[in-house]
Amino acid sequence: MILQQADILRALARPGGASSDFDLNPGVAGSGPAKKDAGVLVPLIERPSGVHVVLTKRAAHLSSHPGQISFPGGKRDVGDVDISATALREAHEEIGLDPSLVQILGQLPAHETVTGFNVIPTIGWINTPWVVKADSGEVAEVFEVPLAHVVTAQNFQVQSRIWRGQRRSYYCVPYGPYYIWGATARILCGLADQMGPL
């Protein structure tokens, strides 16, 4: 199925539920009750083969989540007028995406992480191809995945591993050599729920 911008807008108009790293792990201890706001951009771009989502592979030397697949994003700064501004600023810093090339389509419900962040995903439609300029200090690779793959419910799995001495379950949605898991996969799973059966 070839997805279009109108399909995304219809999905965003449907109600969605907030998610958290604790959905599958009610007994796992987090890093405390204080939540820091963070914004991520879910960048969508139309290619001849259909709509793709742009993702990053975090640099291996980072102290948090090294080598993991993620959306461009980060903590909200005091100068950010809203959480979408955070997402756009971070995408510009991490992958060289000029905010003027992005049309904001809407937001997904917040996702609470076990590391103490309240992550709010902003869906952005990239109107014009851009030259990727990955920040080597944060990003090892920028790549694209067909949106249809990551909004098809059957492509998601629940797996588990030991984390801080406890077994932790998480969503994943593998694609080729890329192992998309954790908060990124859970956010995509939420989008899949709002999209409905394809």
Side-chain angles (χ1 to χ4, degrees):
M1 177 182 183
I2 302 296
L3 296 171
Q4 298 179 335
Q5 188 183 95
D7 298 311
I8 310 302
L9 291 170
R10 276 193 294 273
L12 291 172
R14 298 183 185 121
S19 62
S20 109
D21 286 350
F22 305 100
D23 292 344
L24 300 174
N25 306 279
V28 172
S31 58
K35 297 298 169 194
K36 298 160 283 202
D37 284 339
V40 297
L41 186 68
V42 182
L44 304 178
I45 188 165
E46 194 166 16
R47 300 298 192 193
S49 59
V51 179
H52 285 64
V53 59
V54 180
L55 294 166
T56 69
K57 184 174 182 180
R58 290 172 58 83
H61 66 265
L62 292 174
S63 59
S64 63
H65 311 294
Q68 288 187 14
I69 305 303
S70 66
F71 300 110
K75 289 184 288 189
R76 182 174 183 175
D77 283 353
V78 291
D80 296 334
V81 295
D82 56 27
I83 207 68
S84 292
T86 300
L88 290 171
R89 174 181 54 75
E90 290 281 346
H92 187 236
E93 292 172 4
E94 292 180 20
I95 63 176
L97 178 58
D98 190 322
S100 68
L101 303 179
V102 182
Q103 177 187 356
I104 300 299
L105 300 185
Q107 291 178 336
L108 293 172
H111 177 84
E112 179 187 355
T113 71
V114 72
T115 51
F117 286 96
N118 190 48
V119 180
I120 301 167
T122 294
I123 307 291
W125 188 269
I126 302 172
N127 293 308
T128 305
W130 90 103
V131 177
V132 174
K133 295 178 183 174
D135 177 355
S136 60
E138 293 189 56
V139 177
E141 183 181 356
V142 180
F143 63 97
E144 298 178 13
V145 173
L147 181 64
H149 178 80
V150 293
V151 295
T152 299
Q154 295 88 337
N155 291 334
F156 286 84
Q157 306 167 20
V158 174
Q159 296 184 356
S160 65
R161 64 175 60 175
I162 300 298
W163 182 74
R164 293 184 180 174
Q166 297 174 292
R167 181 160 294 279
R168 176 186 168 196
S169 297
Y170 55 87
Y171 288 93
C172 66
V173 57
Y175 178 76
Y178 301 108
Y179 187 69
I180 306 166
W181 70 287
T184 303
R186 182 62 186 90
I187 289 167
L188 289 169
C189 188
L191 178 57
D193 288 344
Q194 288 186 228
M195 293 285 293
L198 297 180

